[in-house]
Amino acid sequence: MNGYKGVNLRDILLNDTLGESAARSLLSSFSFPLNPDVEYFLKNVAIEFSRQSISSTYLIMASFRGTYVLAGYFTLANKIFCIDKQCLPNRKWRSRLSKFDQFDNEIQRYTISAPLIGQLGKNYANSYDKLITGDELLRLALDKVREMQNIVGGKIVYLECEQKDSLIDFYSRNGFVNLGLRSLDKDETDKLSGHYLVQMLRYM
């Protein structure tokens, strides 16, 4: 995937020459009409979350006519989540999770701590979305997850997506397994369609 470079938003904020004004100018160029939450997060939440180390947002810059433009981004965070025992597709998955989870016999659920791909989206402004495919953007996010896991350990990566066939098919094609639904929180209902998010895991 030549021609791309990833920039941690936190590095821009901490740079004496660039700082918050440069970060906000760059983020303002992002457009994602397919999901308002993806655009809202980058423009209104990502800077504060980066400052507080709640999550890390990586801006993917693509070479375009001799310069680099914002082609997409993804956000990673640590996440503790629960999976119902009956949602696991087979014994192999139960064996995999047993190395990294805690199982609560009373509620019959697995509690797991793993990297979360919290946001993922291409920049549709100026047709910059054509500079990178969704598969490539996700692969860059997974590469960053692998770097994290090489340092701290772990084999699981987690994400949630809207209950849309196109999204479920996209993540399934990239090695994720559908493990059930989570009801939307109150603050999510005004930005996302439907009533649920699909929980998906990948074993790295």
Side-chain angles (χ1 to χ4, degrees):
M1 291 184 287
N2 294 328
Y4 304 126
K5 62 180 181 180
V7 180
N8 192 324
L9 176 59
R10 189 178 296 114
D11 292 338
I12 298 177
L13 295 172
L14 294 175
N15 187 290
D16 292 336
T17 303
L18 299 174
E20 183 174 340
S21 61
R24 290 197 179 278
S25 177
L26 179 59
L27 302 189
S28 69
S29 69
F30 184 84
S31 174
F32 193 78
L34 303 180
N35 184 336
D37 184 53
V38 174
E39 182 173 337
Y40 180 88
F41 179 89
L42 187 63
K43 292 181 175 180
N44 299 280
V45 181
I47 286 178
E48 190 59 30
F49 274 25
S50 292
R51 278 206 182 103
Q52 297 183 29
S53 294
I54 295 173
S55 62
S56 292
T57 292
Y58 293 88
L59 308 176
I60 303 305
M61 313 298 292
S63 179
F64 179 73
R65 295 179 181 174
T67 188
Y68 277 92
V69 298
L70 178 60
Y73 86 98
F74 59 86
T75 297
L76 303 179
N78 291 315
K79 175 78 172 181
I80 296 175
F81 57 94
C82 294
I83 295 292
D84 291 334
K85 182 177 182 179
Q86 61 268 26
C87 289
L88 298 178
N90 51 47
R91 185 177 297 177
K92 183 166 103 172
W93 263 99
R94 288 194 290 273
S95 174
R96 285 174 168 177
L97 291 187
S98 67
K99 303 171 186 175
F100 305 103
D101 72 347
Q102 291 184 335
F103 184 71
D104 190 320
N105 282 299
E106 185 175 342
I107 62 173
Q108 293 292 292
R109 302 185 85 191
Y110 293 94
T111 301
I112 307 164
S113 176
L116 165 75
I117 301 177
Q119 301 287 347
L120 183 91
K122 300 193 295 179
N123 186 8
Y124 280 76
N126 303 310
S127 296
Y128 291 156
D129 60 295
K130 295 181 173 60
L131 300 175
I132 190 169
T133 68
D135 291 330
E136 288 171 326
L137 183 59
L138 179 57
R139 201 170 305 130
L140 290 170
L142 293 174
D143 287 345
K144 189 60 66 175
V145 169
R146 287 190 184 92
E147 290 180 23
M148 297 166 55
Q149 292 177 334
N150 283 338
I151 296 171
V152 302
K155 281 287 188 179
I156 303 295
V157 60
Y158 174 75
L159 62 82
E160 296 177 333
C161 69
E162 290 184 275
Q163 197 177 6
K164 296 180 178 179
D165 289 342
S166 58
L167 289 174
I168 296 171
D169 290 346
F170 167 71
Y171 288 115
S172 296
R173 188 177 73 245
N174 282 281
F176 284 81
V177 174
N178 182 346
L179 294 179
L181 302 175
R182 175 181 71 77
S183 298
L184 291 179
D185 295 330
K186 288 184 179 180
D187 62 347
E188 296 173 317
T189 55
D190 60 338
K191 301 184 187 73
L192 300 171
S193 61
H195 301 285
Y196 302 95
L197 288 174
V198 180
Q199 296 179 302
M200 306 196 76
L201 290 186
R202 174 170 162 164
Y203 188 80
M204 303 285 283

